[in-house]
Amino acid sequence: MKRERNFELMRVIAMFFIVVYHAITHGIGNEVAFNASQPVSILNLSFFDLLLVFSSVAVNLYVMVSGYFLADLNFKISRVIRTWLNACFYSCVITILFFSLSLQQFSFVALGKSFFPISTDAYWFVTQYIGLLILSPFLALLVKSLSYRQYVGLLIGGAFICLSIVPDFPLGKRFYVAHGNSVWFFAYLFLVAGFIKHHLNKISAAKLLLSIISLVLLTFVCEVLLGHKNGNLFLYWLNYNSLPFLLSVLVFVLFKQMQVPESRIWNMLIKAAPYTFGVYLIHDHLLVREWLWSALALPTCHDSLLIFVVLGACVLIFVLCVFVDAVRKKLFALLRIDDTIAKLDKFI
């Protein structure tokens, strides 16, 4: 599959914001009350609410870029196996490492579960993503065979099923897509990406940026209002399939039309793209997640350094995880694991 610089850059930025999203949701959480009478506390709340707006589109972008390319590719079982193997590798290695360092009490049950990260839903994203990979050849048939009118009708119908205005409204959990983290919503994102690729004409950058800024402000205001409870202010984030969905579509189109310049900084960022999936598998492993955000001991919401500490921690986590996954990739290459998996495509 040909790598395009603009989409590689988008993968890197999206994964960094996924780390930021986890830092806010797991590190700070939505139970911390920000003091409305303290300017620093209000500043922190506003900044993190704004970061949540950008971060909440990251998962959608990551899925859409897969749909964008898979819509025109033949199905390969190696994609499914490689995704599962990477998740299984980190699940087992991290679990054994935590046992060895006495960071977790040894348990045969926990050890056994680590070999089945998909069926145990240890990584919710990986479980749903593998489901999407299995569905991808059939979704690709729809992308290629539907007329423009049929495609628009499918997306409109899918919107009534998959999208929400605010969490659980209007359809609640009736179709199990209320939070935007189901395989069915991923399938919808796949179809949206296919439509953008084959049917959407170029949109001026000025219109895109104006629409993005307007939607960012609307989402930000909604999160601030929804986070106001009983006179206190709390962090609040919308589902992936509400306003962040619309924002992710606009951002995706912007990156699609972007020309990434040749420079040392951009090239360095793009080189990190092959390791972004590893960043997720490492930092959001259940054991790592629990240990990481408690070990960092972030400052209180009233601390003026909170913003800098969180962003600095996210950069450090991202860089370290990229380095670890680069080592893993070299190990797999040495053992010729990826080459062996690729050979399965010839038989299936």
Side-chain angles (χ1 to χ4, degrees):
M1 179 171 26
K2 182 183 177 182
R3 300 290 185 179
E4 297 185 22
R5 288 171 57 83
N6 50 338
F7 286 112
E8 293 293 272
L9 178 62
M10 186 179 70
R11 287 171 61 199
V12 173
I13 295 175
M15 184 52 67
F16 175 73
F17 274 104
I18 287 174
V19 176
V20 172
Y21 185 83
H22 291 154
I24 299 173
T25 57
H26 301 317
I28 299 175
N30 62 348
E31 296 180 356
V32 175
F34 288 76
N35 193 329
S37 64
Q38 293 187 7
V40 172
S41 186
I42 294 298
L43 176 65
N44 285 336
L45 174 74
S46 302
F47 184 81
F48 287 121
D49 261 330
L50 192 59
L51 275 182
L52 282 170
V53 174
F54 289 104
S55 302
S56 59
V57 309
V59 171
N60 291 347
L61 293 177
Y62 215 85
V63 176
M64 288 175 71
V65 74
S66 296
Y68 185 87
F69 289 103
L70 291 177
D72 292 324
L73 295 176
N74 294 324
F75 176 76
K76 290 185 177 182
I77 192 64
S78 59
R79 293 192 189 102
V80 177
I81 296 175
R82 188 175 293 112
T83 302
W84 169 83
L85 185 60
N86 289 345
C88 190
F89 172 82
Y90 280 117
S91 178
C92 295
V93 169
I94 290 173
T95 300
I96 293 172
L97 183 63
F98 267 66
F99 288 156
S100 302
L101 296 176
S102 299
L103 295 174
Q104 181 74 13
Q105 186 176 0
F106 179 80
S107 166
F108 283 109
V109 173
L111 181 61
K113 284 184 176 181
S114 70
F115 287 89
F116 302 96
I118 309 305
S119 58
T120 58
D121 209 21
Y123 298 105
W124 75 264
F125 177 86
V126 180
T127 301
Q128 306 307 318
Y129 186 73
I130 284 183
L132 178 67
L133 292 178
I134 294 171
L135 292 174
S136 63
F138 309 104
L139 295 171
L141 284 175
L142 287 174
V143 172
K144 295 173 185 176
S145 62
L146 292 177
S147 66
Y148 178 84
R149 184 183 295 269
Q150 291 170 330
Y151 211 146
V152 171
L154 176 61
L155 293 182
I156 293 174
F160 280 104
I161 296 173
C162 294
L163 303 183
S164 61
I165 300 173
V166 295
D168 299 338
F169 178 83
L171 294 176
K173 299 179 175 63
R174 299 297 184 271
F175 296 101
Y176 299 98
V177 293
H179 299 289
N181 53 5
S182 71
V183 67
W184 309 117
F185 182 62
F186 281 16
Y188 186 70
L189 291 173
F190 185 109
L191 294 173
V192 170
F195 182 86
I196 291 172
K197 185 173 187 177
H198 290 284
H199 298 289
L200 189 69
N201 296 323
K202 187 174 182 179
I203 303 174
S204 72
K207 289 181 179 179
L208 277 174
L209 288 172
L210 180 61
S211 300
I212 288 172
I213 292 172
S214 301
L215 200 52
V216 164
L217 293 176
L218 175 61
T219 309
F220 172 76
V221 170
C222 288
E223 290 186 350
V224 171
L225 292 177
L226 291 170
H228 188 276
K229 299 177 183 178
N230 301 322
N232 292 317
L233 300 175
F234 299 88
L235 287 171
Y236 189 94
W237 45 91
L238 293 171
N239 290 343
Y240 302 131
N241 60 345
S242 55
L243 286 175
F245 162 75
L246 299 176
L247 183 57
S248 62
V249 172
L250 293 174
V251 173
F252 185 86
V253 174
L254 182 66
F255 270 97
K256 174 181 177 292
Q257 300 176 176
M258 181 185 296
Q259 295 294 326
V260 182
E262 289 280 354
S263 70
R264 182 176 298 179
I265 294 178
W266 293 120
N267 292 342
M268 183 174 63
L269 287 175
I270 290 170
K271 285 181 180 179
Y275 313 111
T276 52
F277 191 53
V279 173
Y280 166 71
L281 294 174
I282 297 168
H283 92 276
D284 206 42
H285 183 280
L286 294 176
L287 293 177
V288 175
R289 179 199 300 175
E290 183 180 351
W291 170 81
L292 177 63
W293 303 117
S294 60
L296 282 177
L298 297 176
T300 67
C301 61
H302 316 303
D303 197 315
S304 58
L305 295 177
L306 178 61
I307 295 172
F308 303 101
V309 171
V310 170
L311 289 180
C314 290
V315 171
L316 182 61
I317 290 167
F318 186 88
V319 171
L320 288 176
C321 289
V322 165
F323 175 77
V324 171
D325 197 57
V327 174
R328 190 274 312 164
K329 201 172 183 67
K330 288 185 179 297
L331 175 63
F332 275 31
L334 184 64
L335 299 175
R336 303 184 66 84
I337 292 175
D338 287 333
D339 293 339
T340 303
I341 294 174
K343 290 179 182 178
L344 294 174
D345 293 321
K346 299 179 180 179
F347 301 101
I348 301 177

